[in-house]
Amino acid sequence: RLLSPHSHGLSIVGGPGTLLAGTEAAAQAALIAADQSYTPYSCSPAGLALVCSRGGLHSGGSIESCAYNPTMSPLQTSLVAAHAGGVSCWTDIQQAVLVELPGAKTSFAKSLALVLEEIAPECDFHVYHAMYETL
């Protein structure tokens, strides 16, 4: 199912009007990554978008495995996307936007803040919460 298209039906809590100026594109990319993430075990979809100094926007979402150890965080998948997109130095990351569910079993906000502080100290990190859309 990982490679099959799917959607969690997520949207940003409060809608697009709640986004900080300058984070809209990254928030949208992170929301799409969260919406398409593969999280059948924790039910904690999350996505991260990285904006780099050379203009690149790279995103990735959580990918879970039943074996747990091979599970990939949104940081790992977005760094892979950035590297594949030509980013060779993590200090090129200027902005990171995480989208996740509030109160999720698995939250990435604190760990991502710590890692980003080390690998991209000038990076502005923002967290937005998502919710399941109602029909």
Side-chain angles (χ1 to χ4, degrees):
R1 290 213 5 128
L2 171 61
L3 299 179
S4 301
H6 62 280
S7 170
H8 294 286
L10 299 177
S11 62
I12 298 286
V13 171
T18 61
L19 302 176
L20 293 173
T23 66
E24 299 92 346
Q28 182 63 29
L31 176 63
I32 291 168
D35 195 50
Q36 296 174 351
S37 64
Y38 184 71
T39 57
Y41 308 106
S42 71
C43 299
S44 302
L48 180 72
L50 305 173
V51 178
C52 297
S53 60
R54 297 182 185 154
L57 176 61
H58 311 280
S59 61
S62 300
I63 301 173
E64 293 181 349
S65 167
C66 64
Y68 187 71
N69 287 343
T71 294
M72 294 183 72
S73 75
L75 178 61
Q76 290 169 303
T77 57
S78 61
L79 288 175
V80 167
H83 184 70
V87 176
S88 59
C89 183
W90 301 137
T91 56
D92 287 347
I93 301 170
Q94 294 182 324
Q95 183 184 79
V97 175
L98 172 69
V99 171
E100 64 181 5
L101 297 174
K105 289 180 186 177
T106 304
S107 174
F108 296 97
K110 290 181 182 178
S111 61
L112 291 184
L114 290 171
V115 174
L116 287 168
E117 187 177 309
E118 291 298 319
I119 66 170
E122 301 300 316
C123 174
D124 291 324
F125 179 52
H126 304 278
V127 179
Y128 294 111
H129 289 131
M131 63 182 180
Y132 292 106
E133 295 177 350
T134 56
L135 299 176

